[in-house]
Amino acid sequence: MPSLHPNELTMLLDLSEALGSPLNLRASFARALEILETDLKAVFGMITSLDAATGGLNVEAVTGRHGAAAEKTRYRLGEGITGRVVKTGKPIAVPRASQEPLFLDQLGFLQSRRKSKDDLSYVSVPIRVDGSNAGALGVAFVYEKNRDLGHLVKVLGIAASLLGQATRVHRLLQAERDRLMEENRQLKEELRERYDVGNLIGTSHPMQKLYEQVAQAAPANTTVLIRGESGTGKELVAHAIHYNSPRSGKPFVKVNCAALPESLIESELFGYEPGAFTGADKQKKGRFELAQGGTIFLDEVGDLPAATQIKLLRVLQEREFERLGGIKPVRVDVRLITATNIDLEEALKKGAFREDLYYRLNVFGLFVPPLRERRSDILLLADHFVEKYAAAHARSVRRISTSAIDMLMSYHWPGNVRELENCIERAVLICEGGVIHAHHLPPTLQTAEVSNTLPGQSLAASMSGFEKDLILDGLKIARGNRAKAARLLRTTERILNYKVTKHGIDPDRFRP
């Protein structure tokens, strides 16, 4: 390292501090040139960078009155002093710029000095990043016969290494930012595809009507109230509305009002100021602020306490609120979607829910039908859950047996789609083969008192029924071919024929 004067060491320290925040690289470069110009008593300074796309050199920062010209100035690799320094990676020091043909003076350094008739000395050093030439640092001085240009080359070389390090950090941050932006874009696209209306499962008439209503509600900013029993998929409908709306690129914030204690619900929704209550040592934004520009989904809105209902009503009317312990109004632009499984009209009669808030929420009402009213969708949903959980748990389960289908179709499903999903996941976990049979389903579906699907039977009758199910499955797979069905069931064709006759099965109905 060359011996440096104390003021040069101070300059390099200031330079490293100026380049310590590489988020805005151009601003850091401009500040670095100002430091070099002041401490080295330079006339002009310029930093160029190599454009990987075009192979040319762009002016990133320049001092003096040459900023406008710098935006249009481009150097080719190998052109002039700057281009040659970047191409060769070797510094160039020019004692008298006016006598050097390589000094192109595209920014008019020399022209601006005509009145003073001063010649310029120019030093250009390469900026290296990860072992490659990434640009150049050029500084001009008033010509002095005894100026030690060799020493300036070494000092500026140290400065260029600091610039190179800042450039490297900036590139790493930019690459990470680009990666996160792309990941965020992909996640948003996946969410949009996942919660597309077409991904809601069901072809029954009640579901077709629901799809039409979702398509009508999604493009608007209207407040939506989704009603339906627990487990019917109200949250999925809310997702579908948001991700098919103009706000799909903004946040979707979910709040389960029933899961939050009454003492916390207001601070969670609207936030609080420091000192609002014991332990509130700093400001916290509420869910409404976090959903700015997007959608907030209030599930189980019927469980909101009366005090919070009043504040929610104000948000709907005025689009503003105060944080807990605050006096300054906070304006928000959010779309509100709510859901409930209780009878709000009955709650109005009992005084448990505000009538004015009810009418504010029920602008566009949707009803998600219970599973017992859309029985034609049960098999579609069951097949979907079999595929989903077979993949999730690495199981080879591929289908549901006829007896299990009959049991699923006969059950009344008080827990709706959520109960069906849990039943199928359990069946996939305990199933040892590729087919879910009736005995794989939960006891609640198999108990006569609960499901009303199985009559009381003796052990022999139950075994006979199970045997018949297996034979029916085998014949179905073999398309009525008894020999093939016997091989599948690992028995002889003679025994299979005996059992077919015993159970009164007609194999021909399975033939194509």
Side-chain angles (χ1 to χ4, degrees):
M1 182 175 176
S3 57
L4 300 175
H5 301 301
N7 61 327
E8 290 173 338
L9 291 171
T10 304
M11 177 196 71
L12 292 174
L13 178 61
D14 293 341
L15 202 62
S16 65
E17 291 178 353
L19 297 170
S21 178
L23 295 177
N24 189 338
L25 194 62
R26 286 202 167 194
S28 298
F29 279 177
R31 175 60 185 146
L33 285 181
E34 290 176 3
I35 293 171
L36 290 172
E37 184 177 347
T38 301
D39 292 4
L40 295 179
K41 297 180 174 55
V43 180
F44 303 111
M46 178 178 70
I47 297 174
T48 55
S49 66
L50 180 64
D51 190 331
T54 64
L57 294 167
N58 300 327
V59 178
E60 296 293 337
V62 63
T63 58
R65 298 164 293 176
H66 306 276
E71 294 180 2
K72 303 176 183 178
T73 302
R74 301 289 184 274
Y75 293 93
R76 293 191 300 274
L77 197 62
E79 178 187 25
I81 293 176
T82 300
R84 183 166 294 189
V85 166
V86 177
K87 183 177 182 179
T88 63
K90 296 179 180 179
I92 294 178
V94 179
R96 299 182 74 102
S98 62
Q99 299 176 9
E100 176 56 61
L102 287 175
F103 189 76
L104 303 180
D105 198 25
Q106 291 192 35
L107 296 179
F109 291 156
L110 282 173
Q111 294 178 12
S112 64
R113 306 291 297 179
R114 282 181 178 176
K115 291 183 179 181
S116 61
K117 297 182 180 181
D118 291 332
D119 204 347
L120 295 176
S121 296
Y122 188 72
V123 177
S124 182
V125 295
I127 298 173
R128 297 177 64 80
V129 177
D130 294 329
S132 301
N133 300 327
L137 166 64
V139 181
F141 305 88
V142 175
Y143 170 72
E144 293 179 4
K145 186 176 181 180
N146 298 323
R147 187 181 294 277
D148 188 354
L149 295 182
H151 180 75
L152 285 173
V153 167
K154 294 176 181 178
V155 173
L156 292 177
I158 298 172
S161 68
L162 294 175
L163 295 173
Q165 184 64 21
T167 303
R168 178 178 178 275
V169 173
H170 175 75
R171 289 181 179 179
L172 291 174
L173 290 174
Q174 187 63 43
E176 180 66 12
R177 187 184 296 111
D178 292 343
R179 185 189 67 79
L180 291 174
M181 291 288 288
E182 177 61 20
E183 184 177 313
N184 189 40
R185 186 194 64 77
Q186 290 178 357
L187 288 173
K188 285 183 177 179
E189 188 63 31
E190 288 175 9
L191 283 171
R192 191 175 289 108
E193 292 175 2
R194 178 181 177 184
Y195 294 113
D196 186 78
V197 180
N199 289 334
L200 293 175
I201 298 172
T203 57
S204 60
H205 178 69
M207 289 302 292
Q208 293 294 338
K209 183 178 179 181
L210 178 65
Y211 298 152
E212 293 176 7
Q213 293 177 322
V214 170
Q216 292 169 348
N221 283 321
T222 309
T223 301
V224 178
L225 174 61
I226 306 171
R227 309 178 76 164
E229 296 178 10
S230 180
T232 52
K234 298 187 290 297
E235 186 174 322
L236 283 177
V237 174
H239 273 105
I241 293 172
H242 170 74
Y243 286 106
N244 288 276
S245 74
R247 297 175 179 262
S248 60
K250 298 295 183 179
F252 180 77
V253 178
K254 298 177 287 186
V255 183
N256 190 320
C257 301
L260 292 171
E262 186 173 337
S263 58
L264 293 179
I265 183 70
E266 186 173 343
S267 62
E268 279 295 318
L269 289 177
F270 307 112
Y272 55 79
E273 296 288 351
F277 51 83
T278 303
D281 54 348
K282 60 182 179 179
Q283 185 189 84
K284 179 187 175 182
K285 291 184 177 180
R287 303 293 180 91
F288 271 93
E289 284 184 84
L290 296 176
Q292 177 65 22
T295 303
I296 185 168
F297 173 54
L298 301 184
D299 199 4
E300 309 299 348
V301 70
D303 294 320
L304 280 177
T308 308
Q309 290 182 31
I310 297 172
K311 205 161 185 177
L312 179 59
L313 179 63
R314 185 191 171 193
V315 175
L316 290 171
Q317 291 175 333
E318 308 293 338
R319 297 292 171 181
E320 67 177 27
F321 61 90
E322 289 93 27
R323 298 189 191 98
L324 197 64
I327 57 173
K328 182 180 178 182
V330 179
R331 294 200 62 82
V332 287
D333 172 26
V334 296
R335 182 184 192 177
L336 181 63
I337 300 177
T338 59
T340 184
N341 61 359
I342 69 170
D343 187 343
L344 288 181
E345 288 77 9
E346 188 64 28
L348 290 177
K349 293 177 183 178
K350 295 179 179 178
F353 201 83
R354 291 181 63 91
E355 186 175 3
D356 46 6
L357 178 59
Y358 168 76
Y359 290 117
R360 281 284 182 179
L361 296 179
N362 196 25
V363 178
F364 195 104
L366 295 176
F367 177 72
V368 184
L371 192 54
R372 61 181 175 276
E373 293 181 8
R374 41 183 291 222
R375 291 191 176 277
S376 59
D377 296 332
I378 291 176
L379 190 54
L380 290 173
L381 289 163
D383 286 339
H384 167 73
F385 293 137
V386 166
E387 183 180 354
K388 174 183 176 181
Y389 289 110
H393 300 299
R395 298 291 179 132
S396 59
V397 182
R398 292 180 295 276
R399 65 185 186 88
I400 306 172
S401 71
T402 303
S403 58
I405 290 174
D406 292 341
M407 191 174 292
L408 293 174
M409 295 297 292
S410 301
Y411 187 58
H412 59 289
W413 299 111
N416 295 294
V417 180
R418 185 182 293 124
E419 185 181 7
L420 173 62
E421 182 175 6
N422 293 340
C423 288
I424 297 299
E425 183 177 11
R426 175 188 183 275
V428 168
L429 284 171
I430 65 176
C431 181
E432 297 178 352
V435 182
I436 292 176
H437 292 285
H439 63 278
H440 293 135
L441 296 176
T444 51
L445 272 70
Q446 301 178 47
T447 305
E449 292 79 11
V450 177
S451 64
N452 199 26
T453 57
L454 292 176
Q457 291 180 327
S458 66
L459 177 61
S462 298
M463 293 295 291
S464 177
F466 180 57
E467 183 180 66
K468 182 179 180 180
D469 285 342
L470 289 176
I471 293 171
L472 284 170
D473 270 343
L475 288 169
K476 186 187 295 183
I477 296 171
R479 298 195 172 191
N481 187 317
R482 299 191 191 195
K484 186 176 180 181
R487 289 195 299 272
L488 286 171
L489 296 172
R490 298 179 185 180
T491 187
T492 64
E493 189 174 353
R494 184 181 66 81
I495 293 176
L496 180 67
N497 286 331
Y498 169 73
K499 300 287 186 182
V500 165
T501 303
K502 173 185 174 183
H503 294 295
I505 299 172
D506 179 13
D508 291 337
R509 69 189 179 100
F510 297 109
R511 294 185 182 277

